[in-house]
Amino acid sequence: MQDRFEEAFRMYRKAKMPDQSHRLIMELSKNAVVMQLFGDVSHYHWFIATEMLRDDATVKSKAFDESERINMHNVHIMQSQRYCVYSYIHEFCNEVFVNMHNEMLLHAAAFLVNVIKFNDVPRGISLVSVLYTLAKQAIFWVHIKLLVLHTQNCTVL
């Protein structure tokens, strides 16, 4: 199915219809959010962002002017980063066995808390999952710190 979308995207680009190709990738991105494939959503937003900066005639059309293209590039790069980081949190919260470093999860959750505005959460991203991960990792790191302090005190005695 994905190959068909990419084939259609290439055909729209060959036909010099960037607005249609953009709409197609956005539709694919929305479908991936519904299916909770956040790594794919990140990839699609990154792809759209790189397409916005292409310097060929297929993108430079009447559909988008230069400042609008740069603005859209920045928006899609940020969306790509959000969905990429959230894919790890989603996996942590929904998979039974997860092989991820606790420090990475802590930083991922902290990143999302800092970049997501609470009144403008991207579709599919659960703030409950983000805050749960942050709290769970904070508790883990407090326990590690207490364990280190305790072992240091025991060696002194």
Side-chain angles (χ1 to χ4, degrees), residues 29-38 40 90:
S29 175
K30 287 177 187 173
N31 291 341
V33 167
V34 170
M35 294 171 35
Q36 296 183 341
L37 302 172
F38 298 109
D40 291 347
H90 178 74

Side-chain angles (χ1 to χ4, degrees), residues 146-157:
L146 289 174
L147 181 65
V148 168
L149 289 174
H150 178 70
T151 56
Q152 287 174 351
N153 289 339
C154 288
T155 56
V156 170
L157 296 176

Side-chain angles (χ1 to χ4, degrees), residues 33-134:
V33 167
V34 170
M35 294 171 35
Q36 296 183 341
L37 302 172
F38 298 109
D40 291 347
V41 177
S42 173
H43 173 74
Y44 296 139
H45 278 285
W46 174 82
F47 186 74
I48 293 169
T50 56
E51 284 295 310
M52 286 293 130
L53 294 184
R54 286 179 65 96
D55 199 30
D56 60 1
T58 59
V59 175
K60 284 187 174 178
S61 70
K62 295 176 183 168
F64 308 110
D65 66 348
E66 189 71 25
S67 63
E68 189 176 357
R69 284 180 33 214
I70 291 172
N71 186 34
M72 287 178 67
H73 166 78
N74 293 335
V75 166
H76 286 292
I77 285 292
M78 194 60 177
Q79 288 292 84
S80 175
Q81 291 172 347
R82 289 174 182 164
Y83 281 113
C84 180
V85 170
Y86 183 71
S87 67
Y88 297 112
I89 290 175
H90 178 74
E91 184 179 345
F92 172 73
C93 291
N94 295 316
E95 298 295 325
V96 179
F97 298 105
V98 180
N99 189 17
M100 286 186 233
H101 292 288
N102 290 317
E103 189 175 2
M104 193 242 350
L105 289 168
L106 177 71
H107 290 299
F111 170 78
L112 286 175
V113 165
N114 285 317
V115 298
I116 292 178
K117 297 176 184 165
F118 290 106
N119 58 354
D120 187 28
V121 179
R123 173 176 283 170
I125 291 181
S126 167
L127 280 179
V128 172
S129 295
V130 172
L131 295 174
Y132 169 77
T133 303
L134 186 63

Side-chain angles (χ1 to χ4, degrees), residues 8-21 57-58:
F9 175 78
R10 277 188 247 113
M11 290 301 148
Y12 280 130
R13 208 164 93 200
K14 269 187 180 177
K16 297 187 182 354
M17 299 169 62
D19 50 340
Q20 293 291 341
S21 63
T58 59

